[in-house]
């Protein structure tokens, strides 16, 4: 069983689809449960096995609930793809130099 955070769209959805195509049951986890459900339906339409699950990786309680549900329903998680993330965005001319250098202050 594989869990992909941020799996509802973009790179996360592509990873979830590829894992399902390789015969893994995939949990499509995302802050947006509706979008995760749609992605899981798309995977299942392509003969993959997918389950949507709500997950806010910025909230410890959400993480604990998600992995409690994974344990209860599936027994374990064999593959974890930590795809979800938050990017700070700025207009190009206002982008802080420290972010370019890789060490925010």
């Amino acid at each position: 069983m594989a869990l992909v955070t941020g799996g509802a769209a973009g790179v996360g959805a592509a990873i979830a689809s590829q894992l399902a195509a390789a015969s893994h049951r995939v949990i499509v986890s995302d802050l947006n449960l509706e979008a995760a459900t749609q992605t899981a339906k798309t995977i299942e339409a392509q003969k993959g096995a997918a389950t949507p699950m709500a997950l806010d990786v910025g909230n410890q309680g959400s993480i604990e609930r998600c992995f409690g549900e994974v344990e209860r329903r599936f027994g374990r998680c064999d593959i974890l793809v930590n795809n979800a993330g938050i990017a700070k965005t700025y207009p190009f001319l206002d982008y802080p130099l420290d972010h370019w250098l890789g060490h925010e202050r």
Side-chain angles (χ1 to χ4, degrees):
M1 195 278 306
L3 186 145
V4 180
T5 68
V11 172
I15 292 168
S17 293
Q18 289 298 309
L19 286 167
S23 299
H24 295 283
R25 166 168 281 289
V26 178
I27 294 177
V28 179
S29 69
D30 203 277
L31 185 61
N32 183 338
L33 182 57
E34 184 177 327
T37 299
Q38 186 56 51
T39 299
K41 286 179 181 179
T42 299
I43 290 170
E44 288 183 336
Q46 298 167 350
K47 308 298 183 208
T51 302
M53 198 169 289
L55 175 60
D56 177 355
V57 298
N59 179 294
Q60 182 176 347
S62 179
I63 294 166
E64 290 170 0
R65 282 187 298 278
C66 178
F67 279 93
E69 183 73 6
V70 168
E71 183 176 19
R72 185 182 71 71
R73 292 177 63 183
F74 304 103
R76 67 184 199 199
C77 177
D78 299 306
I79 300 169
L80 173 62
V81 179
N82 286 312
N83 173 70
I86 300 169
K88 295 179 183 176
T89 59
Y90 300 90
F92 180 75
L93 294 176
D94 297 328
Y95 200 85
L97 180 60
D98 287 349
H99 292 244
W100 280 107
L101 301 175
H103 48 82
E104 296 179 69
R105 292 180 191 194

